[in-house]
Amino acid sequence: MSHHVLVLSGPNLAALGSREPEIYGTLTLDDLQGQVVDEAAALGLEATCRQTDDEGELVGWLHEAAAAGWDVVLNPAAFTHYSYAVGDACAHLVGMGSRLVEVHLSNPAARETFRHTSVVARSATGTIAGFGAGSYLLALRALAAQDR
Ligand code: DQA
């Protein structure tokens, strides 16, 4: 059975391609998710990709992963900076034994001050930021390299 990874993207990431391309690049979310699925398959993983603008839906997906024992690659987008609900769901996920990689396309530490805080980071197994879609692919590689 191949190792299942849930790859979650938060609010406004459905607009990738046209959203501030000087920051986020011109790849669409479909392109990015296609790369994720291909990279996962090459690594012997099985990736499922989802995106939502809804905080409650994201919390629900994190609980689903916790219950199923799936690892998660999460770009919480703006929720990163203020959603204690998403942060607590991440703590629950990792507490249940899943691994969590926080990813960002841009490098939030190099941007506005409000982006310097992550309420997810305290629970994450690790964080990868600043490599565009490559951040997601590197996250998959990290999970595969440490496979349990
Ligand atoms: C982001 C960075 C966040 O600050 C921002 O709110 C996003 C995208 C990134 O991938 O670089 O929506 O998570």
Side-chain angles (χ1 to χ4, degrees), residues 11 13 19 24 75 77-78 80-81 103-106 108 111 115:
L13 293 172
R19 178 188 176 201
Y24 298 114
N75 185 346
T80 307
H81 312 303
V103 298
H104 300 281
L105 298 155
S106 67
R111 299 179 61 196
R115 297 185 202 276

Side-chain angles (χ1 to χ4, degrees), residues 36-85:
V36 163
V37 168
D38 289 350
E39 180 74 11
L43 292 166
L45 308 173
E46 188 195 338
T48 300
C49 299
R50 300 181 192 165
Q51 185 277 332
T52 185
D53 294 333
D54 186 281
E55 187 178 21
E57 187 165 42
L58 187 55
V59 167
W61 289 344
L62 290 163
H63 285 301
E64 183 185 342
W70 298 331
D71 288 333
V72 174
V73 173
L74 171 65
N75 185 346
F79 291 149
T80 307
H81 312 303
Y82 68 91
S83 173
Y84 297 125

